[in-house]
Amino acid sequence: METLPWRDTPRRFGRVSRILHWGMAALFAWQFLGMILKVTLGRHPVAGVFVGTHASVGFLLLLLVLARGSWALFNMRWRPQPDRGWLGYAAMAGHLALYALMLIVPALALLRSYGSGRAFAPFGLPLFPGFQGGPIGWMVAPGNALHGWLGWTLLALIAGHVAMVVLHRFVWHDEVLSRMAGGPRRGRAPRPDLAGTR
């Protein structure tokens, strides 16, 4: 049985990429489940379990997306390449939008947190202390205006990402899912519209 490499290869993503991908997927599920419970249940103890960790998990996600983006750039020449044609360009655009929002959404929250003047200690580790003088408007306003709205936009993009994975797996029967989950799939013919495009 072929051993999964640490680095990416042209056929599939390696262990590091997979750990970052699925770890972030689990943390995003935690974040969005908490926000959905907050919207639907209001101030409920169950929602409070998730909401109480929202800032800390969001900061961890910011660090992980920076690590994941750096790893992706480092592996750019070896990792699986998107399909050619319009579908490949759409996939690249979707991934770029996901990366952009995965950076912007927590960065806005971090900027707002600092501008509020309150101390911020994710997971109990002091990142910056509070300060006197009241909120700094230009730091707080963007987060107040955009953090939530862009967060829900990110959820919509994630849902689209999952829908495309389902389409690849169950309609087109290609190897897109196996690049990030499990070993390489064999015995499947390429989609007719993509045959010979790689």
Side-chain angles (χ1 to χ4, degrees):
M1 184 176 180
E2 188 179 356
T3 303
L4 183 66
W6 286 98
R7 282 173 49 174
D8 299 340
T9 71
R11 295 180 62 192
R12 56 186 174 163
F13 295 97
R15 291 183 187 179
V16 174
S17 292
R18 293 184 186 207
I19 290 169
L20 289 170
H21 178 276
W22 295 111
M24 289 177 63
L27 292 177
F28 274 119
W30 177 272
Q31 292 288 76
F32 286 117
L33 177 58
M35 290 301 99
I36 291 169
L37 289 173
K38 180 182 177 182
V39 169
T40 55
L41 300 179
R43 292 182 176 274
H44 190 278
V46 175
V49 171
F50 293 87
V51 176
T53 63
H54 188 80
S56 293
V57 173
F59 178 71
L60 177 58
L61 278 166
L62 178 58
L63 297 180
L64 289 177
V65 74
L66 290 171
R68 185 176 175 188
S70 300
W71 184 253
L73 290 174
F74 175 73
N75 284 270
M76 187 63 68
R77 69 169 65 178
W78 302 289
R79 64 189 355 226
Q81 298 301 309
D83 298 322
R84 296 177 185 173
W86 70 269
L87 193 61
Y89 289 118
M92 284 192 292
H95 281 94
L96 287 174
L98 278 169
Y99 270 100
L101 286 180
M102 286 190 296
L103 281 170
I104 293 170
V105 171
L108 284 172
L110 190 62
L111 183 68
R112 178 177 62 184
S113 180
Y114 182 80
S116 71
R118 297 189 298 270
F120 181 56
F123 301 106
L125 302 173
L127 184 65
F128 49 76
F131 58 86
Q132 302 297 321
I136 302 172
W138 69 268
M139 290 185 174
V140 174
N144 286 342
L146 297 174
H147 177 73
W149 183 80
L150 290 179
W152 294 118
T153 303
L154 175 58
L155 178 59
L157 284 178
I158 291 172
H161 179 71
V162 172
M164 288 305 299
V165 170
V166 171
L167 192 64
H168 277 281
R169 175 66 179 86
F170 294 104
V171 177
W172 293 328
H173 304 290
D174 59 24
E175 296 187 354
V176 166
L177 178 59
S178 67
R179 295 174 185 173
M180 187 61 81
R185 298 172 62 222
R186 296 179 176 85
R188 293 282 191 177
R191 297 208 323 267
D193 58 319
L194 294 178
T197 61
R198 293 190 181 277

